[in-house]
């Protein structure tokens, strides 16, 4: 038995920009996930390959090196197996993955400890983050144009290299054969992303990502959708985060997704497998911390009628800032790491009441 994969729009960013802007807005509203391709001038395939090589080098570093860079409450550093629980209401065991979060770089330098194994590669990591940042600005600008709010989204981002939770994240999921897990365990719990948009880079042939459809069913997301198999690298998967959903009063979908173990007797996407380690790279684009989350002045947003799509529970709170929202979500994901800060968040009435 095989599972049907989801039909996510594939958008050529090199096309006429007015048309591309409309396509991006329609895809954000209908799916919340978007493939973008023909990005040779934005992020060349060779740079993506290099980033994955650096990721493998980082995770191969001695555990003592990684532990010395363990994640702090600024959301930077190494995350070990089971340290993160993306769906705490439903997971009995934390995520089966390790990760490394890089915050914003300044003049090519990481503003955090990094393992000696990749110290010589710091400038290349910074350069890759710059490419991701530029592509995010391009997409945010197009989304603003598509909603006829000009630079509303793009102007809320990247005003300075500090004061933002933007994160370049490397992830490694060990092969299922090397872990002990129950039938209902997942490699990464069901969640929506915390920021505005996410760029997700994946390797061909590596299965696991699923999204939750409007009808409540889970379906796999192919690395290379039909028509892109011969591209120099798989298309980048862009997903809408909580904040763009908030800014558009629910018009843009912050779609819930997860990473799963293979299920006996059920095949996922043809040509993809979960037998080997799974690597991915995510660039989480986050506005400046002081950006206020209120609906944009768009006629399409104003006229949008929610037809049963579950909104972000925090969307009813007026005046919430991007920084407050991020801290709220991180404190839920990491639990004890945030300690007293979590109590302060709850005291402000910002604690989440459910997974989104």
């Amino acid at each position: 038995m095989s599972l049907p994969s989801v039909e996510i729009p594939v958008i050529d960013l090199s096309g006429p920009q007015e048309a591309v802007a409309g396509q991006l807005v329609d895809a954000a509203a209908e799916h919340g996930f978007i493939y973008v391709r023909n990005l040779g001038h934005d992020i060349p395939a060779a740079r993506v390959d290099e980033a994955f090589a650096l990721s493998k080098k980082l995770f191969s570093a001695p555990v003592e090196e990684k532990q010395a860079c363990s994640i702090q409450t600024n959301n930077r550093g190494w995350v070990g197996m089971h340290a993160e629980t993306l769906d705490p209401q439903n997971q009995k065991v934390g995520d089966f993955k390790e990760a490394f979060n890089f915050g914003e770089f300044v003049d090519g330098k990481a503003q955090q400890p990094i393992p000696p194994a990749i110290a010589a590669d710091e400038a290349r990591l910074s350069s890759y983050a710059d490419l991701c940042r530029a592509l995010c600005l391009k997409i945010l600008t197009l989304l603003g144009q598509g909603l006829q709010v000009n630079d509303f989204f793009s102007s809320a981002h990247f005003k300075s290299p500090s004061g933002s939770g933007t994160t370049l994240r490397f992830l490694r999921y060990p092969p299922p054969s090397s872990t002990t897990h129950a039938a209902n365990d997942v490699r990464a719990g069901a969640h929506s992303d915390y920021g505005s948009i996410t760029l997700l880079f994946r390797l061909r042939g590596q299965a696991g990502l699923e999204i939750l459809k409007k009808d409540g069913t889970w379906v796999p997301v192919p690395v290379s959708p039909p028509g892109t198999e011969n591209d120099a690298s798989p298309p980048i998967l862009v997903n809408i985060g909580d904040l763009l959903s908030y800014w558009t009063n629910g018009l843009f979908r912050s779609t819930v997704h997860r990473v799963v173990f293979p299920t006996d007797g059920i095949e996922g996407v043809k040509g993809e497998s979960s037998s080997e380690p799974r690597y991915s790279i995510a660039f989480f684009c986050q506005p400046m911390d002081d950006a206020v989350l209120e609906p944009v002045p768009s006629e399409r947003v104003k006229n949008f009628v929610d037809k049963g799509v579950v909104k972000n529970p925090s969307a009813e709170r007026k005046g919430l800032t991007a920084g407050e929202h991020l801290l709220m979500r991180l404190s839920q994901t990491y639990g004890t790491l945030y300690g007293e800060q979590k109590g302060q968040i709850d005291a402000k009435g910002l604690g989440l009441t459910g997974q989104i």
Side-chain angles (χ1 to χ4, degrees):
M1 173 182 168
S2 61
L3 293 172
S5 59
V6 67
E7 293 184 5
I8 295 172
V10 181
I11 297 178
D12 184 343
L13 286 192
S14 68
Q17 296 301 278
E18 183 176 351
V20 170
Q23 293 166 11
L24 286 171
V25 166
D26 289 343
E30 179 63 24
H31 302 277
F33 270 74
I34 310 157
Y35 291 107
V36 294
R37 66 187 302 204
N38 284 341
L39 302 168
H41 295 296
D42 297 288
I43 305 182
R47 297 302 305 275
V48 178
D49 293 342
E50 178 185 67
F52 274 110
L54 292 175
S55 175
K56 293 178 181 180
K57 185 177 180 180
L58 186 158
F59 289 121
S60 296
V63 67
E64 295 80 12
E65 284 191 19
K66 293 182 288 188
Q67 286 177 335
C69 304
S70 290
I71 194 163
Q72 304 298 309
T73 53
N74 60 6
N75 197 34
R76 299 174 183 177
W78 179 67
V79 182
M81 283 278 288
H82 309 308
E84 186 174 62
T85 307
L86 286 170
D87 186 7
Q89 292 188 335
N90 297 302
Q91 286 179 258
K92 294 182 178 179
V93 180
D95 292 356
F96 286 76
K97 68 174 189 286
E98 63 175 309
F100 200 99
N101 293 358
F102 294 94
E104 291 273 49
F105 292 78
V106 178
D107 297 328
K109 297 292 185 180
Q111 304 303 294
Q112 64 192 84
I114 62 174
I118 59 165
D121 304 304
E122 190 172 21
R124 289 194 289 171
L125 292 165
S126 175
S127 175
Y128 190 73
D130 287 344
L131 292 174
C132 292
R133 170 201 283 238
L135 179 57
C136 284
L137 275 175
K138 180 176 184 176
I139 293 170
L140 289 166
T141 298
L142 287 166
L143 287 170
Q145 292 172 356
L147 283 181
Q148 299 183 328
V149 295
N150 299 319
D151 65 347
F152 184 99
F153 300 132
S154 57
S155 65
H157 297 72
F158 306 131
K159 292 180 182 178
S160 74
S162 60
S164 166
T166 292
T167 302
L168 173 64
R169 170 172 250 209
F170 291 168
L171 297 115
R172 181 187 184 274
Y173 300 79
S177 60
S178 70
T179 65
T180 300
H181 55 274
N184 58 348
D185 285 337
V186 290
R187 300 171 92 178
H191 66 286
S192 59
D193 284 357
Y194 310 163
S196 50
I197 59 174
T198 301
L199 307 180
L200 181 64
F201 303 84
R202 295 182 291 163
L203 292 173
R204 283 193 176 94
Q206 297 197 342
L209 180 65
E210 294 185 340
I211 67 171
L212 185 65
K213 293 178 64 178
K214 293 179 181 179
D215 64 5
T217 60
W218 289 97
V219 289
V221 181
V223 175
S224 297
T228 68
E229 297 89 349
N230 296 322
D231 288 5
S233 62
I236 298 172
L237 192 58
V238 177
N239 69 284
I240 301 299
D242 295 345
L243 303 191
L244 277 186
S245 183
Y246 190 115
W247 267 325
T248 60
N249 203 31
L251 170 66
F252 287 179
R253 298 188 62 212
S254 183
T255 302
V256 174
H257 51 287
R258 66 183 184 181
V259 179
V260 297
F261 288 104
T263 303
D264 291 341
I266 297 180
E267 298 178 2
V269 177
K270 184 178 180 181
E272 294 185 3
S273 169
S274 297
S275 61
E276 300 297 323
R278 179 181 187 269
Y279 291 88
S280 63
I281 301 171
F283 187 80
F284 297 107
C285 184
Q286 184 80 14
M288 301 306 294
D289 289 342
D290 60 1
V292 180
L293 308 177
E294 295 178 341
V296 299
S298 161
E299 286 299 311
R300 182 164 177 178
V301 169
K302 180 180 178 181
N303 296 328
F304 171 67
V305 177
D306 182 8
K307 298 180 180 178
V309 177
V310 178
K311 290 184 183 179
N312 183 336
S314 66
E316 301 303 320
R317 303 187 180 97
K318 304 302 180 185
L320 189 71
T321 67
E324 288 173 333
H325 178 271
L326 178 61
L327 186 58
M328 175 179 66
R329 294 299 306 274
L330 290 173
S331 69
Q332 182 189 43
T333 299
Y334 289 106
T336 57
L337 175 65
Y338 282 78
E340 292 182 2
Q341 289 189 54
K342 188 176 188 303
Q344 294 168 3
I345 293 167
D346 293 340
K348 288 183 180 180
L350 298 179
L352 285 176
T353 57
Q355 179 68 32
I356 58 177

